[in-house]
Amino acid sequence: MSRRNTFEQYSARIEKVVAFLSDRLDQPLTLAQLADAGHFSPFHFHRVYRGLMGETIASTQRRLRLHRAAAELIGNRQPIAQIAVRAGYGSVAAFTRAFGAVYGDAPAAFRKRRAALPALPGAAFDPTLETLMYTAQINTLAPIRVIALLHRGDYQTIGQSFHALYAWAGPRGLMRPDTRGIGIYYDSPADTPVEQLRSEACISASGESEPGEGMRRVEIAGGRHAVVVHTGPYAELQRAYDWLFCQWLPASGEEAGDAPVYEEYLNDPSQLPPAEWKTAICLPLK
């Protein structure tokens, strides 16, 4: 598949997702349903979507609902409070703030002044993505056997789970110089309530040690992967993900595989300043 064809196919599939969403603005759609509408792997859909659209699925939904509300303000005399509820807002005040930020007028003023519906506002793309200095290498990676500790909640607090995992592994002789630290993140923080986010803190472990409480054995599949190395604080990793899924993947001629991305932490953050932390983002490919 050529690079141009890959980009065009990805864009066409995203358009199908947006159309599917637009036709069902009042339905509680899941990420799996939306991924299926565009024939994307559920593991990567939210990142591909954010990369190509420049916004999250939830942001697109809000934008489409506000545009429908704008049409309703012009097209009928339905009370603004009812329009606000249908747009997903719990109060007229919240609806007024959101509507004014997009259309430049409060709903009542918009209804009074507008004779025609303006064009649907576009997503806000990040122009700095074009200047980010990343490269992706396609490598054939070996499978990795790990012991994984489930982490629920904010991804930014997974360090606590890594500390607990290391404290358990140390006395058992599992923290050797060649032990690898790996993080697997299953959900989209932008589209999943923070308390429902699922991730796993992992260490490589090829022996037969019995996993502790809340842990399990996992084999991360090998095969072809696109690997991007990010240097800097973990809080800035999203920039590398955006580059990978917005710039590299649609232009690569490649298709993401049906397995989650994982991060491997290549040096010890306790021994180095954040500017020197190195993280490999490993995206499985078909």
Side-chain angles (χ1 to χ4, degrees):
M1 187 186 302
S2 73
R3 293 186 176 191
R4 180 176 178 181
N5 285 343
T6 306
F7 185 85
E8 290 175 350
Q9 287 187 19
Y10 272 57
S11 297
R13 287 155 64 188
I14 289 294
E15 287 177 8
K16 289 182 179 179
V17 174
V18 174
F20 183 86
L21 176 61
S22 183
D23 290 341
R24 297 163 178 82
L25 285 177
D26 296 319
Q27 297 180 23
L29 301 174
T30 66
L31 284 176
Q33 289 174 300
L34 293 167
D36 186 65
H39 305 290
F40 288 104
S41 164
F43 290 110
H44 311 295
F45 167 64
H46 63 278
R47 292 191 176 100
V48 173
Y49 188 93
R50 177 187 169 101
L52 289 177
M53 287 294 291
E55 64 182 3
T56 65
I57 299 157
S59 295
T60 300
Q61 186 180 56
R62 285 192 294 269
R63 192 160 52 87
L64 291 172
R65 284 176 172 172
L66 282 173
H67 195 63
R68 183 180 65 183
E72 291 170 345
L73 286 166
I74 293 174
N76 60 57
R77 303 307 299 175
Q78 187 177 5
I80 290 175
Q82 291 182 16
I83 294 175
V85 170
R86 190 162 186 242
Y89 293 88
S91 69
V92 171
F95 173 63
T96 298
R97 287 193 297 272
F99 191 89
V102 174
Y103 290 96
D105 267 329
F110 180 89
R111 168 175 272 172
K112 182 177 180 180
R113 297 174 187 172
R114 289 284 183 176
L117 183 67
L120 175 67
F125 285 90
D126 185 351
T128 62
L129 287 177
E130 297 182 359
T131 62
L132 293 178
M133 300 300 291
Y134 290 107
T135 58
Q137 300 290 329
I138 298 179
N139 298 330
T140 300
L141 304 180
I144 310 170
R145 293 180 179 177
V146 302
I147 291 177
L149 174 61
L150 177 66
H151 179 79
R152 279 279 191 175
D154 191 347
Y155 288 162
Q156 297 301 317
T157 65
I158 197 173
Q160 299 169 11
S161 294
F162 272 106
H163 289 315
L165 180 61
Y166 295 160
W168 171 86
R172 291 165 175 79
L174 299 177
M175 295 303 296
R176 301 185 298 270
D178 62 346
T179 297
R180 300 161 71 179
I182 292 170
I184 306 175
Y185 302 88
Y186 294 99
D187 301 305
S188 165
D191 301 291
T192 305
V194 67
E195 67 275 7
Q196 296 178 20
L197 291 173
R198 299 166 301 144
S199 54
E200 289 181 302
C202 310
I203 57 167
S204 57
S206 57
E208 297 302 323
S209 298
E210 188 68 22
E213 183 178 355
M215 303 176 194
R216 66 179 184 132
R217 284 195 168 276
V218 177
E219 181 167 292
I220 298 173
R224 297 174 69 248
H225 286 71
V227 180
V228 175
V229 176
H230 170 79
T231 302
Y234 299 143
E236 296 177 359
L237 276 166
Q238 185 60 52
R239 307 281 289 171
Y241 277 103
D242 287 346
W243 177 87
L244 178 62
F245 284 94
C246 176
Q247 301 252 331
W248 184 84
L249 185 60
S252 67
E254 298 285 347
E255 181 83 13
D258 197 24
V261 176
Y262 66 89
E263 298 173 6
E264 180 170 359
Y265 309 104
L266 303 178
N267 51 19
D268 185 351
S270 68
Q271 303 297 319
L272 295 166
E276 297 180 23
W277 296 351
K278 289 187 178 293
T279 306
I281 300 171
C282 303
L283 167 65
L285 301 172
K286 288 186 177 178

PDB file of all heavy atoms in Angstrom, residues 252-277:
ATOM      1  N   SER A 252       2.866   6.107   6.285  1.00  0.00           N
ATOM      2  CA  SER A 252       3.891   5.056   6.322  1.00  0.00           C
ATOM      3  C   SER A 252       3.623   3.900   5.374  1.00  0.00           C
ATOM      4  O   SER A 252       4.531   3.110   5.090  1.00  0.00           O
ATOM      5  CB  SER A 252       3.992   4.497   7.751  1.00  0.00           C
ATOM      6  OG  SER A 252       2.799   3.796   8.095  1.00  0.00           O
ATOM      7  N   GLY A 253       2.372   3.750   4.916  1.00  0.00           N
ATOM      8  CA  GLY A 253       2.027   2.550   4.182  1.00  0.00           C
ATOM      9  C   GLY A 253       1.792   1.363   5.086  1.00  0.00           C
ATOM     10  O   GLY A 253       1.634   0.232   4.617  1.00  0.00           O
ATOM     11  N   GLU A 254       1.755   1.591   6.399  1.00  0.00           N
ATOM     12  CA  GLU A 254       1.588   0.522   7.378  1.00  0.00           C
ATOM     13  C   GLU A 254       0.204   0.596   8.020  1.00  0.00           C
ATOM     14  O   GLU A 254      -0.457   1.633   7.986  1.00  0.00           O
ATOM     15  CB  GLU A 254       2.657   0.613   8.473  1.00  0.00           C
ATOM     16  CG  GLU A 254       4.084   0.467   7.979  1.00  0.00           C
ATOM     17  CD  GLU A 254       4.443  -0.966   7.623  1.00  0.00           C
ATOM     18  OE1 GLU A 254       3.670  -1.888   7.984  1.00  0.00           O
ATOM     19  OE2 GLU A 254       5.490  -1.172   6.983  1.00  0.00           O
ATOM     20  N   GLU A 255      -0.199  -0.527   8.630  1.00  0.00           N
ATOM     21  CA  GLU A 255      -1.452  -0.612   9.365  1.00  0.00           C
ATOM     22  C   GLU A 255      -1.146  -1.104  10.773  1.00  0.00           C
ATOM     23  O   GLU A 255      -0.364  -2.045  10.956  1.00  0.00           O
ATOM     24  CB  GLU A 255      -2.404  -1.586   8.673  1.00  0.00           C
ATOM     25  CG  GLU A 255      -3.750  -1.733   9.338  1.00  0.00           C
ATOM     26  CD  GLU A 255      -4.746  -0.654   8.944  1.00  0.00           C
ATOM     27  OE1 GLU A 255      -4.474   0.077   7.972  1.00  0.00           O
ATOM     28  OE2 GLU A 255      -5.790  -0.536   9.609  1.00  0.00           O
ATOM     29  N   ALA A 256      -1.734  -0.456  11.775  1.00  0.00           N
ATOM     30  CA  ALA A 256      -1.506  -0.875  13.161  1.00  0.00           C
ATOM     31  C   ALA A 256      -2.062  -2.269  13.391  1.00  0.00           C
ATOM     32  O   ALA A 256      -3.115  -2.633  12.870  1.00  0.00           O
ATOM     33  CB  ALA A 256      -2.154   0.118  14.115  1.00  0.00           C
ATOM     34  N   GLY A 257      -1.349  -3.067  14.164  1.00  0.00           N
ATOM     35  CA  GLY A 257      -1.780  -4.411  14.486  1.00  0.00           C
ATOM     36  C   GLY A 257      -2.829  -4.430  15.580  1.00  0.00           C
ATOM     37  O   GLY A 257      -3.116  -3.414  16.213  1.00  0.00           O
ATOM     38  N   ASP A 258      -3.373  -5.630  15.824  1.00  0.00           N
ATOM     39  CA  ASP A 258      -4.464  -5.772  16.793  1.00  0.00           C
ATOM     40  C   ASP A 258      -3.908  -6.164  18.166  1.00  0.00           C
ATOM     41  O   ASP A 258      -4.202  -7.229  18.698  1.00  0.00           O
ATOM     42  CB  ASP A 258      -5.469  -6.812  16.301  1.00  0.00           C
ATOM     43  CG  ASP A 258      -6.794  -6.718  17.027  1.00  0.00           C
ATOM     44  OD1 ASP A 258      -7.103  -5.622  17.544  1.00  0.00           O
ATOM     45  OD2 ASP A 258      -7.511  -7.728  17.098  1.00  0.00           O
ATOM     46  N   ALA A 259      -3.100  -5.290  18.711  1.00  0.00           N
ATOM     47  CA  ALA A 259      -2.514  -5.476  20.047  1.00  0.00           C
ATOM     48  C   ALA A 259      -2.164  -4.090  20.568  1.00  0.00           C
ATOM     49  O   ALA A 259      -1.923  -3.171  19.781  1.00  0.00           O
ATOM     50  CB  ALA A 259      -1.277  -6.366  19.988  1.00  0.00           C
ATOM     51  N   PRO A 260      -2.136  -3.907  21.888  1.00  0.00           N
ATOM     52  CA  PRO A 260      -1.900  -2.554  22.415  1.00  0.00           C
ATOM     53  C   PRO A 260      -0.469  -2.080  22.231  1.00  0.00           C
ATOM     54  O   PRO A 260       0.473  -2.872  22.156  1.00  0.00           O
ATOM     55  CB  PRO A 260      -2.234  -2.710  23.906  1.00  0.00           C
ATOM     56  CG  PRO A 260      -2.052  -4.161  24.195  1.00  0.00           C
ATOM     57  CD  PRO A 260      -2.422  -4.886  22.944  1.00  0.00           C
ATOM     58  N   VAL A 261      -0.332  -0.776  22.128  1.00  0.00           N
ATOM     59  CA  VAL A 261       0.986  -0.143  22.212  1.00  0.00           C
ATOM     60  C   VAL A 261       1.534  -0.352  23.615  1.00  0.00           C
ATOM     61  O   VAL A 261       0.784  -0.399  24.585  1.00  0.00           O
ATOM     62  CB  VAL A 261       0.867   1.371  21.935  1.00  0.00           C
ATOM     63  CG1 VAL A 261       2.205   2.073  22.103  1.00  0.00           C
ATOM     64  CG2 VAL A 261       0.325   1.622  20.547  1.00  0.00           C
ATOM     65  N   TYR A 262       2.843  -0.482  23.729  1.00  0.00           N
ATOM     66  CA  TYR A 262       3.435  -0.493  25.068  1.00  0.00           C
ATOM     67  C   TYR A 262       4.633   0.453  25.103  1.00  0.00           C
ATOM     68  O   TYR A 262       5.204   0.795  24.067  1.00  0.00           O
ATOM     69  CB  TYR A 262       3.826  -1.904  25.514  1.00  0.00           C
ATOM     70  CG  TYR A 262       4.935  -2.576  24.732  1.00  0.00           C
ATOM     71  CD1 TYR A 262       6.275  -2.421  25.095  1.00  0.00           C
ATOM     72  CD2 TYR A 262       4.656  -3.403  23.638  1.00  0.00           C
ATOM     73  CE1 TYR A 262       7.295  -3.048  24.405  1.00  0.00           C
ATOM     74  CE2 TYR A 262       5.663  -4.043  22.947  1.00  0.00           C
ATOM     75  CZ  TYR A 262       6.979  -3.856  23.327  1.00  0.00           C
ATOM     76  OH  TYR A 262       8.000  -4.479  22.628  1.00  0.00           O
ATOM     77  N   GLU A 263       4.945   0.904  26.293  1.00  0.00           N
ATOM     78  CA  GLU A 263       6.099   1.772  26.522  1.00  0.00           C
ATOM     79  C   GLU A 263       7.167   1.005  27.283  1.00  0.00           C
ATOM     80  O   GLU A 263       6.866   0.307  28.251  1.00  0.00           O
ATOM     81  CB  GLU A 263       5.700   2.990  27.350  1.00  0.00           C
ATOM     82  CG  GLU A 263       4.662   3.883  26.684  1.00  0.00           C
ATOM     83  CD  GLU A 263       4.152   4.994  27.592  1.00  0.00           C
ATOM     84  OE1 GLU A 263       4.686   5.138  28.714  1.00  0.00           O
ATOM     85  OE2 GLU A 263       3.222   5.699  27.186  1.00  0.00           O
ATOM     86  N   GLU A 264       8.407   1.147  26.849  1.00  0.00           N
ATOM     87  CA  GLU A 264       9.526   0.591  27.609  1.00  0.00           C
ATOM     88  C   GLU A 264      10.390   1.745  28.099  1.00  0.00           C
ATOM     89  O   GLU A 264      10.784   2.626  27.316  1.00  0.00           O
ATOM     90  CB  GLU A 264      10.363  -0.363  26.767  1.00  0.00           C
ATOM     91  CG  GLU A 264      11.538  -0.942  27.561  1.00  0.00           C
ATOM     92  CD  GLU A 264      12.267  -2.079  26.871  1.00  0.00           C
ATOM     93  OE1 GLU A 264      11.867  -2.465  25.752  1.00  0.00           O
ATOM     94  OE2 GLU A 264      13.246  -2.577  27.458  1.00  0.00           O
ATOM     95  N   TYR A 265      10.687   1.745  29.378  1.00  0.00           N
ATOM     96  CA  TYR A 265      11.441   2.830  30.010  1.00  0.00           C
ATOM     97  C   TYR A 265      12.915   2.448  30.003  1.00  0.00           C
ATOM     98  O   TYR A 265      13.333   1.486  30.647  1.00  0.00           O
ATOM     99  CB  TYR A 265      10.882   3.087  31.406  1.00  0.00           C
ATOM    100  CG  TYR A 265       9.378   3.254  31.335  1.00  0.00           C
ATOM    101  CD1 TYR A 265       8.514   2.242  31.749  1.00  0.00           C
ATOM    102  CD2 TYR A 265       8.822   4.393  30.747  1.00  0.00           C
ATOM    103  CE1 TYR A 265       7.137   2.374  31.614  1.00  0.00           C
ATOM    104  CE2 TYR A 265       7.447   4.530  30.606  1.00  0.00           C
ATOM    105  CZ  TYR A 265       6.609   3.513  31.038  1.00  0.00           C
ATOM    106  OH  TYR A 265       5.252   3.646  30.881  1.00  0.00           O
ATOM    107  N   LEU A 266      13.689   3.189  29.210  1.00  0.00           N
ATOM    108  CA  LEU A 266      15.038   2.761  28.850  1.00  0.00           C
ATOM    109  C   LEU A 266      16.111   3.172  29.838  1.00  0.00           C
ATOM    110  O   LEU A 266      17.246   2.701  29.725  1.00  0.00           O
ATOM    111  CB  LEU A 266      15.379   3.304  27.451  1.00  0.00           C
ATOM    112  CG  LEU A 266      14.408   2.901  26.330  1.00  0.00           C
ATOM    113  CD1 LEU A 266      14.826   3.535  25.016  1.00  0.00           C
ATOM    114  CD2 LEU A 266      14.343   1.383  26.198  1.00  0.00           C
ATOM    115  N   ASN A 267      15.798   4.053  30.769  1.00  0.00           N
ATOM    116  CA  ASN A 267      16.775   4.393  31.804  1.00  0.00           C
ATOM    117  C   ASN A 267      16.050   4.644  33.115  1.00  0.00           C
ATOM    118  O   ASN A 267      14.817   4.636  33.179  1.00  0.00           O
ATOM    119  CB  ASN A 267      17.669   5.574  31.389  1.00  0.00           C
ATOM    120  CG  ASN A 267      16.880   6.790  30.912  1.00  0.00           C
ATOM    121  OD1 ASN A 267      15.693   6.925  31.191  1.00  0.00           O
ATOM    122  ND2 ASN A 267      17.545   7.675  30.186  1.00  0.00           N
ATOM    123  N   ASP A 268      16.798   4.841  34.153  1.00  0.00           N
ATOM    124  CA  ASP A 268      16.255   4.925  35.510  1.00  0.00           C
ATOM    125  C   ASP A 268      15.911   6.379  35.840  1.00  0.00           C
ATOM    126  O   ASP A 268      16.802   7.208  36.003  1.00  0.00           O
ATOM    127  CB  ASP A 268      17.288   4.392  36.508  1.00  0.00           C
ATOM    128  CG  ASP A 268      16.755   4.337  37.937  1.00  0.00           C
ATOM    129  OD1 ASP A 268      15.650   4.863  38.193  1.00  0.00           O
ATOM    130  OD2 ASP A 268      17.449   3.763  38.803  1.00  0.00           O
ATOM    131  N   PRO A 269      14.629   6.715  35.953  1.00  0.00           N
ATOM    132  CA  PRO A 269      14.256   8.115  36.217  1.00  0.00           C
ATOM    133  C   PRO A 269      14.705   8.618  37.582  1.00  0.00           C
ATOM    134  O   PRO A 269      14.794   9.835  37.794  1.00  0.00           O
ATOM    135  CB  PRO A 269      12.732   8.096  36.109  1.00  0.00           C
ATOM    136  CG  PRO A 269      12.337   6.689  36.382  1.00  0.00           C
ATOM    137  CD  PRO A 269      13.446   5.841  35.832  1.00  0.00           C
ATOM    138  N   SER A 270      15.001   7.698  38.501  1.00  0.00           N
ATOM    139  CA  SER A 270      15.461   8.130  39.819  1.00  0.00           C
ATOM    140  C   SER A 270      16.909   8.602  39.803  1.00  0.00           C
ATOM    141  O   SER A 270      17.366   9.251  40.750  1.00  0.00           O
ATOM    142  CB  SER A 270      15.297   6.999  40.845  1.00  0.00           C
ATOM    143  OG  SER A 270      16.184   5.927  40.565  1.00  0.00           O
ATOM    144  N   GLN A 271      17.622   8.288  38.726  1.00  0.00           N
ATOM    145  CA  GLN A 271      19.042   8.628  38.644  1.00  0.00           C
ATOM    146  C   GLN A 271      19.334   9.769  37.664  1.00  0.00           C
ATOM    147  O   GLN A 271      20.491  10.184  37.545  1.00  0.00           O
ATOM    148  CB  GLN A 271      19.846   7.387  38.212  1.00  0.00           C
ATOM    149  CG  GLN A 271      19.686   6.181  39.119  1.00  0.00           C
ATOM    150  CD  GLN A 271      20.189   6.441  40.524  1.00  0.00           C
ATOM    151  OE1 GLN A 271      21.238   7.068  40.720  1.00  0.00           O
ATOM    152  NE2 GLN A 271      19.436   5.975  41.524  1.00  0.00           N
ATOM    153  N   LEU A 272      18.296  10.265  36.988  1.00  0.00           N
ATOM    154  CA  LEU A 272      18.509  11.261  35.942  1.00  0.00           C
ATOM    155  C   LEU A 272      17.465  12.354  36.031  1.00  0.00           C
ATOM    156  O   LEU A 272      16.352  12.130  36.523  1.00  0.00           O
ATOM    157  CB  LEU A 272      18.415  10.597  34.558  1.00  0.00           C
ATOM    158  CG  LEU A 272      19.482   9.552  34.216  1.00  0.00           C
ATOM    159  CD1 LEU A 272      19.056   8.764  32.988  1.00  0.00           C
ATOM    160  CD2 LEU A 272      20.828  10.221  33.990  1.00  0.00           C
ATOM    161  N   PRO A 273      17.778  13.557  35.524  1.00  0.00           N
ATOM    162  CA  PRO A 273      16.760  14.614  35.475  1.00  0.00           C
ATOM    163  C   PRO A 273      15.707  14.275  34.428  1.00  0.00           C
ATOM    164  O   PRO A 273      15.985  13.532  33.470  1.00  0.00           O
ATOM    165  CB  PRO A 273      17.562  15.857  35.079  1.00  0.00           C
ATOM    166  CG  PRO A 273      18.754  15.322  34.356  1.00  0.00           C
ATOM    167  CD  PRO A 273      19.088  14.015  35.015  1.00  0.00           C
ATOM    168  N   PRO A 274      14.483  14.797  34.558  1.00  0.00           N
ATOM    169  CA  PRO A 274      13.414  14.467  33.601  1.00  0.00           C
ATOM    170  C   PRO A 274      13.772  14.712  32.146  1.00  0.00           C
ATOM    171  O   PRO A 274      13.304  13.986  31.265  1.00  0.00           O
ATOM    172  CB  PRO A 274      12.258  15.366  34.049  1.00  0.00           C
ATOM    173  CG  PRO A 274      12.500  15.566  35.516  1.00  0.00           C
ATOM    174  CD  PRO A 274      13.990  15.629  35.668  1.00  0.00           C
ATOM    175  N   ALA A 275      14.604  15.717  31.858  1.00  0.00           N
ATOM    176  CA  ALA A 275      14.962  16.014  30.469  1.00  0.00           C
ATOM    177  C   ALA A 275      15.721  14.874  29.809  1.00  0.00           C
ATOM    178  O   ALA A 275      15.804  14.808  28.573  1.00  0.00           O
ATOM    179  CB  ALA A 275      15.794  17.293  30.404  1.00  0.00           C
ATOM    180  N   GLU A 276      16.266  13.948  30.597  1.00  0.00           N
ATOM    181  CA  GLU A 276      17.063  12.845  30.046  1.00  0.00           C
ATOM    182  C   GLU A 276      16.349  11.500  30.096  1.00  0.00           C
ATOM    183  O   GLU A 276      16.921  10.479  29.708  1.00  0.00           O
ATOM    184  CB  GLU A 276      18.412  12.756  30.786  1.00  0.00           C
ATOM    185  CG  GLU A 276      19.272  13.994  30.608  1.00  0.00           C
ATOM    186  CD  GLU A 276      20.600  13.884  31.355  1.00  0.00           C
ATOM    187  OE1 GLU A 276      21.042  12.754  31.640  1.00  0.00           O
ATOM    188  OE2 GLU A 276      21.183  14.938  31.668  1.00  0.00           O
ATOM    189  N   TRP A 277      15.118  11.473  30.555  1.00  0.00           N
ATOM    190  CA  TRP A 277      14.387  10.196  30.587  1.00  0.00           C
ATOM    191  C   TRP A 277      14.100   9.739  29.163  1.00  0.00           C
ATOM    192  O   TRP A 277      13.655  10.521  28.318  1.00  0.00           O
ATOM    193  CB  TRP A 277      13.070  10.362  31.342  1.00  0.00           C
ATOM    194  CG  TRP A 277      13.237  10.700  32.799  1.00  0.00           C
ATOM    195  CD1 TRP A 277      14.391  10.705  33.527  1.00  0.00           C
ATOM    196  CD2 TRP A 277      12.203  11.118  33.692  1.00  0.00           C
ATOM    197  NE1 TRP A 277      14.148  11.085  34.826  1.00  0.00           N
ATOM    198  CE2 TRP A 277      12.814  11.340  34.959  1.00  0.00           C
ATOM    199  CE3 TRP A 277      10.833  11.315  33.571  1.00  0.00           C
ATOM    200  CZ2 TRP A 277      12.086  11.748  36.073  1.00  0.00           C
ATOM    201  CZ3 TRP A 277      10.105  11.724  34.671  1.00  0.00           C
ATOM    202  CH2 TRP A 277      10.724  11.940  35.916  1.00  0.00           C
TER     203      TRP A 277
END
